[in-house]
Amino acid sequence: MAMLLHVSDEKMFFKSGKRIARLADAGKLVTEEKTISFEDPADLLQVLTTARLAIMRVVLERPRSITEVAECLGRDRSAVKRDVALLAEAGLVVVEDKPLPGHGRKKEVRSAAGTLRLEAVLA
């Protein structure tokens, strides 16, 4: 599944919904895509900072623990944990509590979609 992050207003939201409804009514294939819309480009940039985008790239490769993500990026674990929490709240990543072999647990972070597409149109 793909994920689209874009900047659009209410008019564009409903236009997209109508397009999907027309495809479905015509019996045509509707591609599965998760969409997260932001009204203002600044809001998108507040969520997807350079550091958080780096986290997205790492977990798009494969799911990793928060510690592994921090090690890959050379960042402090607690800072990565905060960024992962914000990305999870926005719906961009999924965090699962997984058992470790033997004993203990870890938080595994994975992308909420297989691909991430960013789109911004300023008019």
Side-chain angles (χ1 to χ4, degrees), residues 57-91:
R57 285 187 179 113
V58 167
V59 299
L60 273 166
E61 290 174 9
R62 67 176 175 83
R64 300 175 193 259
S65 70
I66 291 173
T67 301
E68 290 172 323
V69 172
E71 289 171 356
C72 283
L73 299 174
R75 292 185 56 203
D76 178 69
R77 185 186 181 287
S78 62
V80 169
K81 185 177 178 182
R82 283 190 301 272
D83 282 345
V84 164
L86 193 142
L87 291 169
E89 185 178 317

Side-chain angles (χ1 to χ4, degrees), residues 2-101:
M3 181 181 303
L4 169 64
L5 291 168
H6 69 113
V7 176
S8 69
D9 58 13
E10 192 175 288
K11 181 179 174 182
M12 291 298 294
F13 173 79
F14 286 110
K15 182 178 177 182
S16 175
K18 286 179 184 177
R19 180 185 58 78
I20 292 169
R22 279 193 296 274
L23 286 171
D25 287 346
K28 295 185 179 177
L29 180 65
V30 178
T31 58
E32 186 177 346
E33 183 174 76
K34 180 177 182 179
T35 302
I36 299 175
S37 297
F38 295 86
E39 287 186 44
D40 187 322
D43 295 336
L44 171 64
L45 295 173
Q46 188 174 6
V47 170
L48 266 188
T49 62
T50 304
R52 292 184 193 127
L53 194 53
I55 292 171
M56 290 298 302
R57 285 187 179 113
V58 167
V59 299
L60 273 166
E61 290 174 9
R62 67 176 175 83
R64 300 175 193 259
S65 70
I66 291 173
T67 301
E68 290 172 323
V69 172
E71 289 171 356
C72 283
L73 299 174
R75 292 185 56 203
D76 178 69
R77 185 186 181 287
S78 62
V80 169
K81 185 177 178 182
R82 283 190 301 272
D83 282 345
V84 164
L86 193 142
L87 291 169
E89 185 178 317
L92 298 170
V93 299
V94 175
V95 180
E96 293 181 276
D97 194 36
K98 298 248 178 161
L100 288 170

